[in-house]
Amino acid sequence: MGYRVAVVGATGAVGNEMLQILHETDFPVDEIHAVASERSVGKEVSFGEEITLKVQNLADFDFSKVDLALFSAGASVSAEYAPKAAAAGCVVIDNSSQWRMDPEVPLVVPEVNPEALHGFRAKNIIANPNCSTIQMVMALKPLHDLARVKRVVVATYQSVSGAGHRAMEELFEQTRAKFLQQEREPKVFPKPIAFNVIPHIDRFLEDDFTKEEWKMRVETRKILDPEIDVVATCVRVPVFVGHSEAVFVEFHEPIDIDDARNALYNFPGVRVIDRPDRGEYVTPIECVREYDVFVSRIRVVPTVPFGLAMWVVADNLRKGAALNAVQIAHKLVEMGLI
Ligand code: A2P
């Protein structure tokens, strides 16, 4: 049996990947609908190489005619439409930040906490975590099982695609303008992004952390363990696709670096590329369109009793967003929940 599926935000950077990945992973689809704003009605998007879909307007889309909707159209759209879709009997997998910390909404990375899916009927909504959180918990989970993570200090190097299509255009236009000795005023980002880095993603909160940094802390706790301490500095860098993270982890118990490497190596969805003697480590360009989370530069931190540092890279549009959402859909089917 197949499912009737809608992708909301289908014209966007993540929505587009959702369609591709549903197709690539052979999700059992009987019907597929591409949905976006009124602006895009009639535009065409592709589903695989052969099928073209006409975009439909979210404002009058009838969710009772679909079984499953993958949302990636921003938090305000999800705030308004996810409950409507859910009330119409449709299961919503939401990529925005809107529902992630709602205690009645599971926040799921299928390799890490699939059991949380059991609670999804409370609201009929499942939240996809933040892109930076997903790749970090993928690398933390096998290590947490070995020696219990106590504290994480992380600095991120996040690509512009995490901020959507217009952000990618802004990097392109500013880069080109620079070579033509012209200036382009920032519109999407608060400062110039070409040839620059910006330690400011999402808004500043009362404690002077940004909301993106807060998300990494609270989401990691919800997914992995409420006792873990996370301190993040989130930085936007002039990379189109692929988020990188320098992650420092302190453990409660002793951890052997070879055991840590093996645990990461054996964890589904993680690939260890770590031969510094041969210059082998991963950069974001190399992980574009890949499904896995890559871990490199694993090393012992000598300044705390039990500490490791590592470099974690993933395609933020795929494992960080669309792939994880589609994997949640597959997991629901596999667990017999839909
Ligand atoms: P549209 O292209 O019609 O504006 P990105 O994150 O790459 O900027 O993409 C955002 C996605 O969310 C796009 O598909 C966009 O559609 C969609 N979107 C944004 N606002 C709305 C809205 N009010 N109603 C429906 N879809 C929306």
Side-chain angles (χ1 to χ4, degrees), residues 8-14 35-40 43 58 72-74 77 81 163-166:
V8 178
T11 52
V14 172
V35 183
S37 78
E38 199 176 359
R39 296 179 286 274
S40 302
K43 274 191 192 164
L58 174 63
S72 191
V77 171
Y81 287 96
H165 255 146
R166 285 182 55 239

Side-chain angles (χ1 to χ4, degrees), residues 308-338:
L308 291 178
M310 58 189 170
W311 175 247
V312 180
V313 188
D315 182 327
N316 55 294
L317 297 177
R318 295 204 146 202
K319 186 56 186 168
L323 173 64
N324 198 72
V326 173
Q327 286 173 327
I328 289 173
H330 279 284
K331 202 51 136 184
L332 288 170
V333 175
E334 198 185 301
M335 291 167 75
L337 295 172
I338 58 171

Side-chain angles (χ1 to χ4, degrees), residues 126-146:
I126 298 150
N128 209 37
N130 170 266
C131 42
S132 296
T133 309
I134 292 177
Q135 68 183 69
M136 187 170 81
V137 297
M138 284 285 288
L140 289 179
K141 169 68 175 163
L143 304 180
H144 189 53
D145 289 345
L146 270 187

Side-chain angles (χ1 to χ4, degrees), residues 150-151 248-255 300-308:
K150 180 177 176 192
R151 179 174 303 125
F248 158 79
V249 196
E250 193 180 342
F251 298 89
H252 283 285
E253 290 147 36
I255 183 162
V300 172
V301 173
T303 50
V304 293
F306 316 123
L308 291 178

Side-chain angles (χ1 to χ4, degrees), residues 97 200-204 210-213 215 236:
S97 60
H200 174 187
I201 302 180
D202 210 327
R203 63 192 165 83
F204 285 104
T210 61
K211 185 143 184 230
E212 187 81 354
E213 292 159 354
K215 286 175 201 165
R236 191 71 73 187

